[in-house]
Amino acid sequence: MKANMVTAINNALELSMKENDRIVLLGEDIGKDGGVFRVTEGLQAKFGESRVMDTPLAESGILGASIGMALAGMHPVPEVQFAGFMFLGFSQLINHASRYRSRTRSIYPVPMVVRTPVSGGVRTLEHHSDSPEAYYSHIGGLIVVEPSTPYDAKGLMIKALRMNDPVVFLEPTKLYRLFKEDIPDDMYEVPIGKAKLLSEGSDLSIITYGTMAPLVKDVVAKKKVSADVLDLRTINPLDEEAILASARKTGRVIIVHEASMSFGVGAEIAARIAENAIFELKAPVMRVASPSFPYPMPGYEKYYIPNELKVSQAIDHIMAVQD
Amino acid sequence: MAISLMADAFEGKIEYLQIMDEKGNADQSLMPKDLSDSRILDMYKYMVLARAADAKTLSLQRQGRAATYAPLVGEEATQIGSALAMRQKDIFVPNFRQHGVYLARGTPPEALFLYWRGYEEGSSLPREFGALPIIVPVSTQMPHGAGMAMAQKYLKTGAAVVVYVGDGGTSEGDFYEALNFAGVWKAPLVTIIENNQWAISVPRRDQTAAKTLAQKAMAAGVPGMQVDGNDVLAVYKATKDAIESSAYGPQVIECVTYRMSMHTTADDPTKYRSDAEVEAWKKKDPILRVRLYLEKKGLWDDAKQKALEEEQSKFIDDAVDKAEKFVPDPKSMFSNVYSYMPQVLQHELDDALKAGFWQGDSK
């Protein structure tokens, strides 16, 4: 089937719900309305109101009740309408979803997939464009994934719903309908914790994910540089093996993400490369990210998010370093 | 149909239930039909056990053999009355002071001692016990209760979920969100508000302007009532009725009781409350009145009391022994984070093992 990311996730949810009747969806406006981005469109009509639930407007309630359902043996898929609103339920994810398995020595795992749209570039209101992946990754115990293609979105969702873990499933708003691609009609899995090479090269490595992945791919194609473009797909647990393999191969690494620079995912990757492969590098690791302050109003976002020029200049800069 | 511009009028009233007074006189007309004297004797024994285990944990803590501990003394009727009203299939969701509920639900006391000694293994009761682990962040267990109750409905188990929260906990957003969700879902959730009058140093009157805590349920369209939380019979009856009614939707019971001791072992209540207040509540002791009742009926005397205390003391000491023999395995911290061992964690574990961090520490 030809699918954009919205239809790919919708399809993954439908197939998974057919496979496992303990999977239920819940969230604000996800039933009759099909979600503000239409990701759950048609699913309530297919599965009924007991499996696709419109909830009261309360993020902590949605996430906390989902944890309760998971503890009771169900596999809930809560949707939080925008990542910026998920902080109202942050306590439930950090205090409970991340540590219930460990707290009970695996007697009570928390199988659930928390879906939320992330990142900007689509001129939305304040709090609708946050990139919170580092927060959820830092605690440990939460699996954090962020697909950049319809194919990966479907396969990661199917895999996440077959796992016995809490998964934070971040869906880049900008990529929801950016492009379509051919994906299999049937169920298939994309592994969790495995990055994917979007292109292979020998001169440098660009490590990225989410909204920045298609942008980096375009810049690399336009500049005709020979680059590994590594799409993480899973932020936590990090695919350290793939990162180090590429870093060692090319000796030049740029990390590109939309989330702000300081204390971000880029810092984690750079540190791991420094610890394990610094003597194999030809140039210092570079980071391209948004500046270190909260996401601005939409009028300013084009000055905030890394663009093609910023990525292109970083490539020129790192290639100019003589080893 | 007439068109009305008026909103539906709402009128609320909170009922208060007491069956047995401070002198041990029970109002027979209110006595639950299913409650035999032998069952009341069970209640008494569990209350005495809860207080004895509590005193033991406190003494262990003072000797450095347990970490910070939250005593329950004074709240035995609220905990034992509600626990014994639950059916086998029902699930209970505590916060951090419901040791009495655990014991009355058949939890091996060594699990509790293990928890208060600071080991997750004390929180790993098999699912058959129908009990979630101790939860520390106030009221965050409330939405879990709502979700679990919804799951019972979805999975058609016929079980109810009984969740506990304190007076301070009713000020948290999660308290209201959970009741609101359970109300919309008509989920089988029974909320026991264990109103012990103090949230550490903040008294009940400074916690909310609401006259009762039970009335907070009404904002979510959920029935609420108040009981004498030091009257085990009233708590039992209210909980039993609420569990039955919860098949049609959630219920809230505010148990008015008193924290006779400190919030936790890290707290000194003499800084913020008077001895006179504590003494006044001692007269309403939840255990004493049941003993008076049983004595009047010729079912209890000093010899029986002595025998019970000896038996329970041995039971508790055996459990402490078991808990103190526990050998922690630091590897278990790593192997219980995810359903599998990610490479990043495996490396951290390997490094720790290689460096010998834990040598001599875990025998």
Side-chain angles (χ1 to χ4, degrees):
Chain A
M1 63 191 281
K2 271 257 190 244
N4 60 26
M5 196 182 284
V6 169
T7 47
I9 297 170
N10 182 283
N11 180 242
L13 292 171
E14 182 180 347
L15 296 174
S16 300
M17 289 175 81
K18 279 183 186 154
E19 180 180 81
N20 178 358
D21 64 11
R22 293 195 166 203
I23 295 173
V24 293
L25 316 186
L26 64 158
E28 297 157 13
D29 309 298
I30 68 159
K32 286 186 184 65
D33 199 34
V36 293
F37 289 104
R38 309 287 171 255
V39 175
T40 54
E41 189 150 78
L43 295 177
Q44 192 182 62
K46 283 182 186 124
F47 294 97
E49 290 180 18
S50 68
R51 294 193 69 190
V52 183
M53 295 175 246
D54 282 317
T55 64
L57 203 165
E59 287 75 16
S60 189
I62 293 169
L63 295 171
S66 295
I67 290 168
M69 288 179 181
L71 297 174
M74 293 174 67
H75 205 138
V77 185
E79 175 182 301
V80 174
Q81 205 159 70
F82 289 93
F85 306 152
M86 204 141 100
F87 300 114
L88 286 112
F90 198 60
S91 145
Q92 287 294 339
L93 294 176
I94 300 301
N95 287 328
H96 297 303
S98 72
R99 57 209 302 167
Y100 228 108
R101 173 187 282 275
S102 131
R103 173 185 291 151
T104 61
R105 287 296 182 257
S106 295
I107 301 282
Y108 283 101
V110 183
M112 71 173 194
V113 178
V114 183
R115 295 184 37 247
T116 193
V118 294
S119 300
V122 289
R123 299 186 58 77
T124 53
L125 286 172
E126 197 184 1
H127 303 290
H128 290 63
S129 305
D130 284 17
S131 295
E133 60 275 12
Y135 309 138
Y136 300 111
S137 298
H138 182 61
I139 182 71
L142 299 173
I143 289 173
V144 181
V145 303
E146 184 168 347
S148 74
T149 67
Y151 177 89
D152 285 345
K154 177 173 174 178
L156 282 169
M157 180 59 78
I158 288 168
K159 177 64 183 167
L161 282 167
R162 285 173 175 168
M163 292 180 77
N164 208 0
D165 299 273
V167 179
V168 177
F169 200 97
L170 305 175
E171 303 169 0
T173 313
K174 193 179 180 181
L175 308 187
Y176 266 150
R177 296 167 198 282
L178 189 70
F179 62 95
K180 286 184 178 183
E181 66 181 350
D182 260 321
I183 63 171
D185 290 342
D186 293 336
M187 293 184 93
Y188 63 91
E189 292 181 3
V190 166
I192 300 264
K194 290 280 172 226
K196 177 171 80 174
L197 278 172
L198 299 180
S199 75
E200 281 190 65
S202 51
D203 294 343
L204 81 158
S205 305
I206 307 184
I207 300 167
T208 186
Y209 57 90
T211 50
M212 292 292 111
L215 181 134
V216 166
K217 215 176 128 184
D218 280 358
V219 174
V220 165
K222 278 185 199 154
K223 289 183 79 86
K224 299 191 171 62
V225 286
S226 175
D228 268 3
V229 177
L230 191 65
D231 179 358
L232 290 177
R233 304 193 292 188
T234 300
I235 313 296
N236 184 60
L238 205 54
D239 188 353
E240 193 183 41
E241 205 173 11
I243 291 166
L244 294 180
S246 185
R248 288 185 172 120
K249 182 176 83 175
T250 66
R252 289 184 165 91
V253 180
I254 304 172
I255 303 147
V256 184
H257 56 60
E258 183 178 319
S260 62
M261 176 83 88
S262 300
F263 305 96
V265 171
E268 176 63 28
I269 294 169
R272 285 181 184 274
I273 292 171
E275 282 171 338
N276 294 284
I278 198 162
F279 298 117
E280 293 155 83
L281 296 184
K282 297 170 184 159
V285 171
M286 286 183 72
R287 286 183 289 165
V288 176
S290 297
S292 301
F293 51 79
Y295 200 94
M297 292 276 282
Y300 284 96
E301 72 181 354
K302 65 179 174 187
Y303 310 115
Y304 181 77
I305 304 175
N307 57 15
E308 290 195 14
L309 181 65
K310 210 167 170 183
V311 174
S312 175
Q313 283 178 351
I315 293 172
D316 293 341
H317 182 88
I318 205 165
M319 291 312 296
V321 177
Q322 300 295 315
D323 64 299
Chain B
M1 198 176 89
I3 293 172
S4 170
L5 295 177
M6 297 285 283
D8 287 343
F10 172 80
E11 210 176 294
K13 187 170 186 297
I14 295 297
E15 305 280 351
Y16 177 83
L17 177 70
Q18 186 195 53
I19 299 178
M20 185 188 281
D21 68 14
E22 291 154 33
K23 305 266 185 292
N25 302 311
D27 182 339
Q28 292 300 328
S29 70
L30 295 172
M31 195 70 115
K33 297 282 171 290
D34 65 314
L35 209 52
S36 62
D37 280 340
S38 82
R39 194 70 175 145
I40 298 175
L41 212 50
D42 283 347
M43 289 177 173
Y44 178 71
K45 288 176 181 172
Y46 275 120
M47 287 199 286
V48 174
L49 176 66
R51 188 168 288 185
D54 190 62
K56 183 73 185 186
T57 321
L58 200 56
S59 104
L60 292 174
Q61 196 279 336
R62 293 310 191 212
Q63 299 164 50
R65 290 156 72 190
T68 307
Y69 173 66
L72 67 81
V73 62
E75 300 168 44
E76 293 88 351
T78 293
Q79 297 192 8
I80 304 303
S82 55
L84 293 184
M86 291 179 214
R87 301 157 302 185
Q88 184 71 34
K89 62 184 172 184
D90 298 329
I91 297 166
F92 112 86
V93 182
N95 55 259
F96 50 79
R97 206 185 294 281
Q98 282 71 35
H99 334 312
V101 183
Y102 277 114
L103 291 170
R105 295 269 291 164
T107 305
E110 53 266 35
L112 302 180
F113 291 124
L114 209 47
Y115 176 87
W116 293 104
R117 280 176 66 74
Y119 297 112
E120 275 87 348
E121 282 74 8
S123 285
S124 55
L125 286 178
R127 281 174 175 260
E128 297 74 67
F129 283 92
L132 287 188
I134 287 170
I135 293 300
V136 174
V138 169
S139 227
T140 59
Q141 75 283 5
M142 286 290 306
H144 305 167
M148 283 199 110
M150 184 56 175
Q152 304 315 308
K153 190 174 168 180
Y154 182 86
L155 299 168
K156 298 186 172 66
T157 64
V161 175
V162 182
V163 64
Y164 290 76
V165 65
D167 41 309
T170 65
S171 298
E172 292 276 8
D174 271 355
F175 172 79
Y176 174 72
E177 291 188 26
L179 290 186
N180 193 49
F181 272 60
V184 170
W185 285 339
K186 296 184 171 55
L189 179 73
V190 175
T191 299
I192 306 281
I193 302 171
E194 195 166 323
N195 172 9
N196 67 13
Q197 312 301 332
W198 290 92
I200 306 189
S201 68
V202 177
R204 157 64 187 83
R205 66 171 180 275
D206 291 342
Q207 200 59 247
T208 171
K211 201 169 172 193
T212 70
L213 301 178
Q215 75 200 58
K216 292 188 172 198
M218 289 182 173
V222 173
M225 72 174 298
Q226 213 181 36
V227 305
D228 177 352
N230 282 7
D231 171 5
V232 72
L233 302 181
V235 176
Y236 175 85
K237 181 177 167 30
T239 311
K240 198 166 189 323
D241 292 349
I243 286 174
E244 213 161 283
S245 312
S246 74
Y248 308 98
Q251 301 281 327
V252 170
I253 303 164
E254 175 189 355
C255 299
V256 182
T257 180
Y258 192 72
R259 197 192 78 209
M260 295 221 269
S261 182
M262 66 273 286
H263 163 69
T264 68
T265 46
D267 172 42
D268 173 14
T270 63
K271 278 181 72 183
Y272 51 78
R273 71 183 186 187
S274 71
D275 291 346
E277 180 187 304
V278 181
E279 288 308 313
W281 275 94
K282 271 188 184 161
K283 296 199 177 78
K284 302 182 193 178
D285 189 283
I287 299 184
L288 181 64
R289 66 178 79 178
V290 186
R291 180 161 177 181
L292 293 173
Y293 172 88
L294 293 170
E295 282 176 353
K296 270 183 254 180
K297 286 205 141 194
L299 295 167
W300 203 250
D301 54 33
D302 286 346
K304 284 185 172 150
Q305 182 72 21
K306 190 162 174 281
L308 178 70
E309 283 172 11
E310 276 169 17
E311 180 197 330
Q312 289 186 344
S313 164
K314 193 184 170 322
F315 179 64
I316 290 168
D317 288 347
D318 286 352
V320 172
D321 272 355
K322 281 185 202 161
E324 293 195 330
K325 285 199 181 102
F326 171 76
V327 180
D329 176 6
K331 291 198 290 297
S332 68
M333 296 191 295
F334 290 80
S335 54
N336 290 290
V337 181
Y338 302 98
S339 63
Y340 68 106
M341 181 74 92
Q343 205 183 31
V344 169
L345 275 193
Q346 184 67 53
H347 287 166
E348 289 172 5
L349 173 60
D350 291 346
D351 286 349
L353 289 171
K354 211 164 80 186
F357 280 168
W358 304 325
Q359 273 166 18
D361 215 34
S362 60
K363 347 185 208 341

